Amino acid sequence: GGDGPLKGRHVLVTSGPTHEPIDPVRYIANRSSGKQGHAIAAAAAQAGARVTLVSGPVNLPDPFGVEVCRVESAREMLAAVEAALPADVAIFAAAVADWRAAREASEKMKKDGGALPTLALTENPDILATIAQRVEGRPGLVIGFAAETQNVVAYAQAKRARKGCDWIVANDVSAQSGIPGGVMGGDSNEVRLITEAGVEAWPPASKSEVAARLIARIIAATGPEETR
Ligand code: C5P
């Protein structure tokens, strides 16, 4: 932690995709780059917070002044998040795989000319919901993300209620979103912030501008250090 409006606070951020192993050389993944989550961690550190960033596999440098915990799978991410608590604010920007292979083969699966292998799936833990619904040690402000391709606000509002988080940062990841090149992996984002009070539409901006705005909004909502 350093000087600034978030001095003395612990901010926990998840970022990136998860990799779910199938066998020693294969995994299930998604297109998340980690750019938005890493930008949020950097902005929180710049505002003086102590920041723990729990990140899946990404091709990004560690943000300055942030403690980075690298994980691969959803289950590892949940364990790292729980180990990092308590936190004042938790921001779940990671694109966690919904499913993993029901069984992980201990040896590489062989193409033997016989029947095709089948991939049985099982559900991963929902990290955001698990932390947001904690009775003891729940962070004071829990923020989730919602990437949707249609009915963005309605789905995000339902997600906020279902998961029990305080805010949802919702974005449209469809090809029609208006972001050239797309949101996933791109450098810009257009989001809506969904809180108990309603919906704020933010203008299209770079992922670092969206991060700075989210951190400013957190500071405004939680008050300066002296009032805690
Ligand atoms: O349900 P959905 O995946 O759309 O929810 C997205 C939000 O939930 C994101 O904040 C994401 O980080 C979080 N999430 C999670 N663990 C999961 C699935 C999603 O923390 N297994």
Side-chain angles (χ1 to χ4, degrees), residues 69-133:
C69 175
R70 282 176 210 76
V71 298
E72 300 229 333
S73 68
R75 285 179 297 174
E76 289 168 8
M77 186 172 278
L78 175 59
V81 163
E82 286 181 325
L85 292 177
D88 301 289
V89 181
I91 305 165
F92 294 92
V96 182
D98 292 314
W99 307 285
R100 68 174 182 273
R103 285 166 302 277
E104 179 184 349
S106 56
E107 305 295 340
K108 186 185 172 191
M109 293 164 65
K110 300 302 284 180
K111 188 169 59 174
D112 62 5
L116 291 173
T118 55
L119 186 58
L121 299 177
T122 191
E123 203 161 316
N124 264 332
D126 190 313
I127 303 167
L128 166 62
T130 302
I131 302 306
Q133 290 167 23

Side-chain angles (χ1 to χ4, degrees), residues 14-20 27-38 53-60 69-78 93-98 124 127 184-185:
T14 70
S15 184
T18 63
H19 285 184
E20 308 297 332
Y27 57 84
I28 301 170
N30 63 65
R31 294 187 191 282
S32 169
S33 65
K35 284 177 182 172
Q36 186 63 79
H38 276 56
L53 173 61
V54 179
S55 178
V58 296
N59 283 307
L60 294 172
C69 175
R70 282 176 210 76
V71 298
E72 300 229 333
S73 68
R75 285 179 297 174
E76 289 168 8
M77 186 172 278
L78 175 59
V96 182
D98 292 314
N124 264 332
I127 303 167
M184 290 293 256

Side-chain angles (χ1 to χ4, degrees), residues 12-14 35-37 39-41 89-95 128 141-161 163-173 183-184 188-196 198-218:
L12 173 61
V13 182
T14 70
K35 284 177 182 172
Q36 186 63 79
I40 290 166
V89 181
I91 305 165
F92 294 92
L128 166 62
L141 183 59
V142 177
I143 305 173
F145 274 68
E148 309 288 357
T149 58
Q150 55 178 334
N151 302 333
V152 176
V153 169
Y155 284 158
Q157 276 168 331
K159 192 165 290 181
R160 177 179 170 276
K163 300 212 183 200
C165 60
D166 301 300
W167 298 355
I168 287 268
V169 179
N171 58 12
D172 181 351
V173 295
V183 168
M184 290 293 256
S188 55
N189 209 352
E190 179 174 0
V191 306
R192 280 174 245 195
L193 180 68
I194 288 148
T195 70
E196 174 157 42
V199 182
E200 297 172 21
W202 293 1
S206 70
K207 287 182 177 174
S208 53
E209 285 164 337
V210 169
R213 189 164 180 150
L214 182 64
I215 294 301
R217 196 66 184 64
I218 290 167

